[in-house]
């Protein structure tokens, strides 16, 4: 159905859990193919997903909705193009996103304990291969860390 949607060359694609029925390996391959197909197309995509890793891997902007009625709880604008993101970057950004109080509340997760949270500004200078050993505090308006 994704191929059928792309063949009609729409300016905007509205997708609801488009990769949800795929096994993990096929999902990653199809997501990669999808990103390459969109790369220079000029299309916009609005995708609904409950998979935070998928959102961080594929999106330019992630809008987190929660509650009834749904309200915007968090916005994350990702500067690194999706095709340049590796697994380590995606997992790091997702961990930082899940460290945010409003995001945790939206997913009904308990607050993080204060012990073990890095507050040293020197911890913000991270490299792509850095293992996440603690959740760092980040600015309240964004959680992207350049790696």
């Amino acid at each position: 159905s994704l191929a059928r949607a792309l063949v009609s060359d729409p300016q905007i694609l509205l997708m609801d859990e488009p990769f949800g029925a795929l096994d993990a390996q096929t999902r990653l391959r199809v997501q990669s193919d999808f990103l390459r197909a969109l790369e220079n197309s000029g299309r916009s995509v609005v995708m609904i997903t409950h998979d935070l890793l998928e959102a961080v891997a594929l999106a330019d902007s992630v809008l987190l909705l929660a509650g009834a009625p749904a309200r915007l709880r968090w916005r994350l604008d990702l500067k690194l193009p999706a095709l340049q993101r590796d697994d380590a970057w995606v997992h790091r950004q997702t961990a930082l996103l899940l460290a945010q109080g409003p995001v945790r509340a939206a997913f009904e997760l308990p607050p993080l304990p204060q012990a073990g949270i890095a507050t040293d500004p020197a911890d913000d200078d991270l490299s792509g291969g850095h293992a996440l050993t603690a959740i760092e505090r980040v600015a309240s308006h964004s959680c992207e860390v350049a790696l």
Side-chain angles (χ1 to χ4, degrees):
S1 57
L2 182 56
R4 279 192 301 267
L6 291 173
V7 166
S8 66
D9 199 26
Q11 289 182 316
I12 300 174
L13 284 172
L14 303 175
M15 303 169 69
D16 185 7
E17 301 281 355
F19 309 111
L22 303 175
D23 64 80
Q25 186 175 359
T26 304
R27 176 187 296 217
L28 292 174
R29 191 182 76 242
V30 171
Q31 287 173 346
S32 178
D33 292 344
F34 178 68
L35 286 174
R36 281 195 298 281
L38 289 179
E39 186 174 19
N40 295 312
S41 70
R43 290 183 184 101
S44 295
V45 177
V46 176
M47 184 174 74
I48 312 271
T49 183
H50 291 88
D51 184 336
L52 201 50
L53 279 170
E54 179 175 77
V56 171
L58 300 178
D60 294 326
S61 294
V62 176
L63 302 175
L64 178 67
L65 303 174
R71 296 185 196 279
L72 182 61
R73 302 296 181 182
W74 196 268
R75 178 181 178 147
L76 173 64
D77 295 317
L78 299 161
K79 297 175 186 93
L80 186 66
L83 286 171
Q84 294 178 22
R85 300 174 192 164
D86 62 14
D87 290 342
W89 189 93
V90 170
H91 284 88
R92 172 94 178 124
Q93 297 306 315
T94 303
L96 289 169
L97 185 57
L98 283 169
Q100 305 307 308
V103 175
R104 295 188 70 74
F107 281 97
E108 299 179 0
L109 297 171
L112 288 174
Q114 292 303 310
I117 297 176
T119 57
D120 184 354
D123 289 338
D124 290 337
D125 183 22
L126 303 171
S127 65
H130 180 76
L132 183 62
T133 57
I135 303 298
E136 293 82 12
R137 288 197 183 276
V138 293
S140 63
H141 65 281
S142 176
C143 69
E144 182 169 346
V145 174
L147 297 178

